[in-house]
Amino acid sequence: MTMSALTSTLQGRRQAGAWSGARAPVFGIAGRRALLLYLRVSGLVMLMFLIIAFAIDLAQNLDDVLARAEALEMGKGGILARYLLYRAVDIVTRLFPVACFIGLFASELYRLFNRETTVLAGAGWSPAQTLAVVAVFGCLTGALQFSLERWWRPAAVFAQAELELGGYGARFARGIVDEKRWFVLSGNALRATVLRDGAPELRDVELYRGVVSGDLRDVLVAKRAVPTGHENFWRFYDVDLWASLPQQGGEGAARSQGYARKSLYLMTRYDSIDIRLDLFPETLEFYDVPAFYLPQAPLERLAEAGNPLKTPDVDAALWRRWAALFLPGVYALLGASLAPVAGSGRIIAPTRIVALALCGYLALVATKVSWAMGEIGSLSGFTSSWLAIVLALGGTLAAQQVLSRPH
């Protein structure tokens, strides 16, 4: 449709009263046209991101992926296609909000320099109607981002881990985690090798009971330990119980000797024994996996108050998934609000356009920084997840104030 035809159609509807305030603008010609433009341009930007990311990723991992196909006795084309699909899900999850910002920014610049916004304004199109179209775009993209964060990326990441493909295959593969690890659990210290699997277990276990409080009661050495299925109870197998002999002078005298002078003796051996241990099986099943990669069910389990090993990134990941509903829409709103500041009509100000695009980059940096601060505990999970959205809305309000000034 040419611009003159669009203008005459809009003016005719306005004069006939067909365009009433009660009718949602996105169902009109101009609204549908703008929404489709937003979707096409944002999709094109995301496709560009994918092509660049694939080129970088395959340069590093192509040989390993093809070698893995031979090891699994699978077709190289099929395994490569699956790998690219899994990587695409992860890349889109990371970069889609940025693509929405660039897409809306570029779309509004196109409409601005093509004088479409000027013509529509003359036909009665208001800025509020543009914001309504952006809101519909935000609802669609927010639902996509939420699904990616909550379900699709965890599934894609652990599918790579299952096949041992790429970086995630190396980092999150099932099996023994190298070296023994330490855990502090309710005043006890535990040292063991972790089997990260759907049926997790501890191997070569050493449990120092009472050591954290300064009163080492005994040490249990076991070949392995597995969950019993009962809350907070683990079954230890091939257990040796080491403890100190009763000493004259009581407990205070024993403490005064210090650990270096405290001798332990083998007291008892057990084929198996059940011991209360405040260690969730999910902690081992997803050991050393950042929380934002976890499937939803284990993530919610690890976020429970009874988990003594809950890390700050668990709460941050939960809040981040809810914030994902709004993040693409807020970025899109920021891009649509900044574009009109670049000029009007056919007046092009390259310096101003670059400066405004940098504002979007700063929003991305602020998002990444706030997320990182939430993961390490410098900010609460709630604050770190919603801070970027608040900042983007602040940038939108600032842009609207600039536009509202008399020229």
Side-chain angles (χ1 to χ4, degrees):
M1 179 180 290
T2 64
M3 188 61 62
S4 59
L6 177 62
T7 305
S8 60
T9 302
L10 291 172
Q11 289 176 339
R13 290 194 175 190
R14 186 183 180 190
Q15 293 170 359
W19 198 329
S20 65
R23 184 176 182 181
V26 294
F27 298 113
I29 294 176
R32 291 197 303 269
R33 178 187 174 92
L35 181 59
L36 290 175
L37 179 65
Y38 297 160
L39 294 172
R40 284 199 301 266
V41 177
S42 299
L44 183 62
V45 172
M46 192 65 249
L47 179 62
M48 178 186 68
F49 286 162
L50 278 174
I51 292 172
I52 296 172
F54 283 161
I56 296 172
D57 190 277
L58 290 178
Q60 299 174 344
N61 297 311
L62 180 59
D63 292 340
D64 293 337
V65 171
L66 297 180
R68 188 60 185 159
E70 293 180 359
L72 295 172
E73 298 181 353
M74 299 176 63
K76 293 183 178 180
I79 200 71
L80 181 59
R82 290 176 66 177
Y83 175 68
L84 291 178
L85 174 62
Y86 298 148
R87 291 296 298 131
V89 173
D90 184 46
I91 294 166
V92 171
T93 305
R94 295 172 181 270
L95 298 179
F96 187 58
V98 184
C100 291
F101 169 82
I102 297 176
L104 270 289
F105 185 73
S107 297
E108 284 300 312
L109 283 179
Y110 169 78
R111 298 176 71 212
L112 179 70
F113 298 146
N114 201 34
R115 296 192 293 181
E116 181 176 334
T117 53
T118 303
V119 172
L120 289 174
W125 184 269
S126 69
Q129 290 172 299
T130 299
L131 294 179
V133 179
V134 176
V136 173
F137 175 85
C139 291
L140 296 175
T141 54
L144 174 60
Q145 185 71 22
F146 180 74
S147 299
L148 287 166
E149 290 275 7
R150 188 180 179 97
W151 295 296
W152 298 343
R153 178 164 70 168
V157 166
F158 285 99
Q160 291 176 71
E162 190 72 25
L163 294 173
E164 299 183 19
L165 294 174
Y168 292 136
R171 293 170 58 193
F172 305 150
R174 301 299 193 181
I176 295 292
V177 178
D178 57 343
E179 300 181 356
K180 284 192 172 184
R181 304 301 174 98
W182 283 96
F183 303 88
V184 177
L185 304 163
S186 303
N188 304 320
L190 184 145
R191 183 171 180 257
T193 300
V194 175
L195 173 62
R196 184 171 58 193
D197 194 56
E201 64 179 64
L202 298 166
R203 295 183 178 177
D204 300 324
V205 187
E206 302 168 13
L207 178 61
Y208 300 85
R209 296 197 289 189
V211 68
V212 176
S213 62
D215 179 21
L216 179 61
R217 299 191 305 275
D218 52 42
V219 178
L220 283 88
V221 180
K223 184 167 291 185
R224 66 190 187 100
V226 299
T228 63
H230 299 287
E231 188 75 16
N232 296 333
F233 277 91
W234 288 68
R235 181 160 296 158
F236 288 65
Y237 291 93
D238 298 326
V239 182
D240 291 340
L241 174 63
W242 295 76
S244 58
L245 296 174
Q247 296 191 22
Q248 195 172 12
E251 184 180 355
R255 282 189 184 183
S256 65
Q257 294 181 3
Y259 296 145
R261 299 174 55 191
K262 195 170 185 178
S263 299
L264 299 177
Y265 299 90
L266 179 60
M267 296 295 188
T268 314
R269 284 180 172 168
Y270 303 93
D271 290 333
S272 67
I273 183 174
D274 291 353
I275 298 175
R276 180 179 178 86
L277 203 62
D278 293 330
L279 178 64
F280 289 7
E282 291 83 0
T283 301
L284 301 186
E285 183 179 356
F286 299 99
Y287 188 75
D288 262 357
V289 178
F292 54 86
Y293 290 127
L294 297 183
Q296 187 66 21
L299 180 62
E300 292 177 350
R301 169 70 170 156
L302 293 176
E304 292 179 6
N307 179 15
L309 298 180
K310 183 171 72 172
T311 52
D313 64 332
V314 171
D315 283 335
L318 282 175
W319 281 112
R320 182 166 152 183
R321 292 181 181 184
W322 286 111
L325 278 169
F326 305 94
L327 191 63
V330 170
Y331 269 38
L333 184 62
L334 179 62
S337 300
L338 289 177
V341 182
S344 60
R346 293 187 181 273
I347 300 175
I348 300 176
T351 304
R352 186 180 294 182
I353 293 175
V354 172
L356 293 171
L358 285 176
C359 292
Y361 178 75
L362 291 176
L364 170 64
V365 171
T367 301
K368 297 296 184 183
V369 170
S370 64
W371 284 353
M373 294 179 71
E375 290 164 11
I376 64 177
S378 297
L379 292 175
S380 69
F382 176 85
T383 302
S384 65
S385 299
W386 295 97
L387 181 60
I389 292 178
V390 173
L391 292 176
L393 289 174
T396 300
L397 292 176
Q400 293 298 325
Q401 287 181 350
V402 171
L403 292 173
S404 64
R405 294 175 184 172
H407 294 81

